[in-house]
Amino acid sequence: MLQIENKDKFGKVIADALSKLEQTATDAQTKKRWVRAIAKATVEIEENGVFMTWMENDKSLLIWSQKSNNIYSANGVCQCRAFEQGSPCFHRAAARLIRLFMEAENVPVQAEEIPYLKPSAERKAERVAGIRIN
Ligand SMILES: [Zn+2]
């Protein structure tokens, strides 16, 4: 079961993946196929996340395909027909998106989380020698 709660962060991961593809794709056809795979992966993760399990130990994504009734274990490789034919598949795209998302989740302090950059409700103004200091 996989459920993306931080949709903003997931959206950013997808945007990054697409821009990376833009820079690295070797030819237009491959690029087009990966764009399609990423788009399908996005939809599948959102709608069928219940059939997916992230395996942290080997950074793979288990996907139960209702269409073929097979379970695919995707990281860089896959067991589906598209992969056999050397084509991009949404399983691999999904595995990559989830891996990047998991890595992004572990990123240390982001600017918006630095406490002194945002007003705190509990903080009371202090006075030192009659001067308000915060
Ligand atoms: Zn596949």
Side-chain angles (χ1 to χ4, degrees):
M1 163 94 193
L2 195 75
Q3 200 177 5
I4 303 291
E5 279 167 3
N6 193 338
K7 305 260 188 213
D8 286 350
K9 197 164 270 178
F10 188 54
K12 193 177 177 311
V13 164
I14 295 162
D16 285 353
L18 289 171
S19 85
K20 192 106 182 230
L21 182 63
E22 196 64 46
Q23 296 156 21
T24 57
T26 45
D27 63 281
Q29 185 63 25
T30 308
K31 191 167 92 182
K32 206 167 123 191
R33 285 178 169 172
W34 273 116
V35 168
R36 217 178 288 155
I38 290 170
K40 182 159 166 62
T42 306
V43 173
E44 290 288 329
I45 289 165
E46 283 183 354
E47 292 180 359
N48 294 316
V50 67
F51 302 114
M52 298 178 185
T53 305
W54 173 248
M55 308 298 284
E56 182 61 39
N57 57 341
D58 63 354
K59 313 273 182 209
S60 67
L61 186 66
L62 293 181
I63 302 170
W64 174 30
S65 163
Q66 297 134 251
K67 203 170 138 197
S68 67
N69 201 30
N70 286 321
I71 293 173
Y72 301 121
S73 167
N75 44 31
V77 296
C78 193
Q79 299 82 42
C80 72
R81 198 172 295 169
F83 181 74
E84 264 173 36
Q85 294 166 352
S87 298
C89 63
F90 89 84
H91 313 111
R92 282 195 293 158
R96 185 172 162 75
L97 291 177
I98 297 298
R99 185 171 63 79
L100 293 170
F101 179 76
M102 294 299 182
E103 286 169 4
E105 284 285 86
N106 295 328
V107 164
V109 201
Q110 297 289 309
E112 70 268 19
E113 289 159 15
I114 296 172
Y116 57 76
L117 291 182
K118 60 181 180 186
S120 163
E122 310 94 59
R123 254 171 83 189
K124 295 236 164 59
E126 267 181 53
R127 280 173 182 274
V128 173
I131 300 159
R132 188 181 153 152
I133 59 163
N134 63 351

